[in-house]
Amino acid sequence: VFLKAEAEECIAALPPHVLLQRIFVLFPDPWPKRRHHKNRIMQANFLQALADHAKSGADLCFRTDDAAYFSSAKAVVEAHPAWGVAPAPWPFERATVFQSRAAVFQSLVAMRRETFSKL
């Protein structure tokens, strides 16, 4: 299922029994100005909301063309107890409009840990 919606609202609206197996966050707004970084989606609270609705072993696939955002997002994922960066390949390639416009981009795949303590 593909859904175009405000991600945080969508996750919050999911019933508790709905569990996700694979989540894609593709080319989100990098909010490049430092004072706007608080608006970035890849933050601990969003990762926690995803973890609450993700099966154990679920994949979180993140891709961006902003190198600074990639570094920041990777650090947030690595620091979160529910997610670990996995040495997994990207699940498949289907170029988005943003990807086709990007000269370069970076990707990471994180895996939902089996057990974790909530933040």
Side-chain angles (χ1 to χ4, degrees), residues 43-67:
Q43 296 189 45
N45 60 341
F46 180 67
L47 293 177
Q48 186 60 52
L50 288 178
D52 291 343
H53 285 285
K55 294 179 179 181
S56 179
D59 293 329
L60 169 59
C61 305
F62 172 74
R63 184 171 274 177
T64 182
D65 59 343
D66 187 285

Side-chain angles (χ1 to χ4, degrees), residues 32-112:
K33 293 182 181 176
R34 186 149 191 77
R35 69 178 182 267
H36 295 152
H37 285 189
K38 66 183 181 288
N39 297 321
R40 290 177 168 179
I41 193 151
M42 294 297 284
Q43 296 189 45
N45 60 341
F46 180 67
L47 293 177
Q48 186 60 52
L50 288 178
D52 291 343
H53 285 285
K55 294 179 179 181
S56 179
D59 293 329
L60 169 59
C61 305
F62 172 74
R63 184 171 274 177
T64 182
D65 59 343
D66 187 285
Y69 190 15
F70 180 81
S71 296
S72 171
K74 185 176 180 186
V76 170
V77 171
E78 289 175 333
H80 198 281
W83 297 97
V85 175
W90 194 256
F92 65 90
E93 280 301 332
R94 178 84 182 194
T96 67
V97 70
F98 294 104
Q99 184 172 323
S100 66
R101 293 177 186 165
V104 302
F105 55 85
Q106 293 175 286
S107 308
L108 73 79
V109 177
M111 185 177 288
R112 166 74 162 66

